[in-house]
């Protein structure tokens, strides 16, 4: 069974921006990007990197976790058979599947990000802001395509199951190997990258702290 479909990431970002009355240009200025690039992300023509995604959610005052949520109003607006939103409407109609407690591999929602990074949602307890993710960095993948460090609210916990991942944390660099775990305040500037020949895979939990 293929992974569960989720709403187009750009559409969810645009919805959150409009709900907060923020113009596209204002959002672009706040995160230090061009308005055209933000527009491309919202229209699905470009995928954000991990660092850009956190910059956008921080600027909009929302959690990354909320981008996985299947709002019934969004589903109702585009209930066209054969589309991602149609799949979303069916998903929203089955809250037991969304809440868990068991999430089978075929039920995971997936976000494909820029720079060779994939997030698979491993579960969610309603009313909480926790990103519980299976994270994959393909060879050459990184959390920031520009090489810049990111920072966001919350605390971060990770456990690498396979491959190798380089973590730049502040002024230090750490190499994570299978079995290694890491935890730190997410407000500390950081960046992940995979310099190895195989995918780096691990389980990550990010608590928003709100």
């Amino acid at each position: 069974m293929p992974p569960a479909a989720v709403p187009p990431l750009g559409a969810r970002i645009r919805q959150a921006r409009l709900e907060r009355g923020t113009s596209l240009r204002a959002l672009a200025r706040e995160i230090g990007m061009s308005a055209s690039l933000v527009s491309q992300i919202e229209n699905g023509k470009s995928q954000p990197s991990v660092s850009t995604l956190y910059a956008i959610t921080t600027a909009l005052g929302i959690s990354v976790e909320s981008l996985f949520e299947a709002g019934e109003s969004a589903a109702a607006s585009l209930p066209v058979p054969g589309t991602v939103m149609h799949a979303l409407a069916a998903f929203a109609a089955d809250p037991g599947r969304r809440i868990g407690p068991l999430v089978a591999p075929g039920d995971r929602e997936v976000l494909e990000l820029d720079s060779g990074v994939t997030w698979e949602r491993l579960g969610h307890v309603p009313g909480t802001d926790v990103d519980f993710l299976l994270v994959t960095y393909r060879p050459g993948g990184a959390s920031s395509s520009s090489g810049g460090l990111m920072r966001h609210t919350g605390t971060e916990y990770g456990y690498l199951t396979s491959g190798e991942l380089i973590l730049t944390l502040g002024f230090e660099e750490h190499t994570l190997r299978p079995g290694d775990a890491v935890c730190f305040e997410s407000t500390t500037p950081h960046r992940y990258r995979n310099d190895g020949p195989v995918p780096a895979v691990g389980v990550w939990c990010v608590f928003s702290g709100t």
Side-chain angles (χ1 to χ4, degrees), residues 6-204:
V6 295
L9 183 58
R12 296 295 288 160
I13 290 172
R14 182 174 185 274
Q15 178 185 355
R17 177 177 62 77
L18 293 176
E19 286 175 353
R20 281 151 186 79
T22 302
S23 71
L24 190 147
R25 291 186 180 278
L27 176 59
R29 282 196 304 270
E30 188 164 353
I31 64 176
M33 295 177 59
S34 67
S36 62
L37 182 53
V38 174
S39 177
Q40 288 175 17
I41 291 173
E42 289 190 350
N43 291 320
K45 297 178 180 179
S46 177
Q47 292 286 55
S49 65
V50 176
S51 59
T52 298
L53 184 61
Y54 272 114
I56 290 173
T57 54
T58 298
L60 293 176
I62 60 175
S63 67
V64 171
E65 172 68 26
S66 69
L67 295 178
F68 283 98
E69 290 303 313
E72 293 186 10
S73 60
S77 65
L78 287 171
V80 182
T83 67
V84 171
M85 297 309 292
H86 180 261
L88 173 60
F91 180 71
D94 185 4
R97 182 179 181 222
R98 190 195 323 183
I99 305 172
L102 175 66
V103 179
D107 291 337
R108 295 177 191 155
E109 301 158 300
V110 178
L111 286 182
E112 293 283 350
L113 302 173
D114 187 28
S115 304
V117 182
T118 301
W119 285 355
E120 297 180 52
R121 190 193 203 193
L122 295 178
H124 174 58
V125 177
T128 62
D129 285 328
V130 180
D131 305 323
F132 181 32
L133 307 166
L134 181 67
V135 176
T136 300
Y137 283 79
R138 293 190 289 277
S143 56
S144 171
S145 56
S146 66
L149 305 184
M150 62 179 173
R151 54 187 300 175
H152 49 91
T153 60
T155 53
E156 196 156 327
Y157 300 81
Y159 176 80
L160 198 69
T161 59
S162 63
E164 251 184 37
L165 200 58
I166 307 298
L167 166 63
T168 301
L169 185 61
F171 296 104
E172 298 182 350
E173 195 166 271
H174 307 270
T175 300
L176 280 66
R177 297 182 176 87
D180 287 344
V182 64
C183 58
F184 56 90
E185 293 289 339
S186 303
T187 51
T188 306
H190 59 284
R191 179 177 184 258
Y192 297 101
R193 73 177 191 274
N194 180 7
D195 292 341
V198 299
V201 182
V203 175
W204 254 250

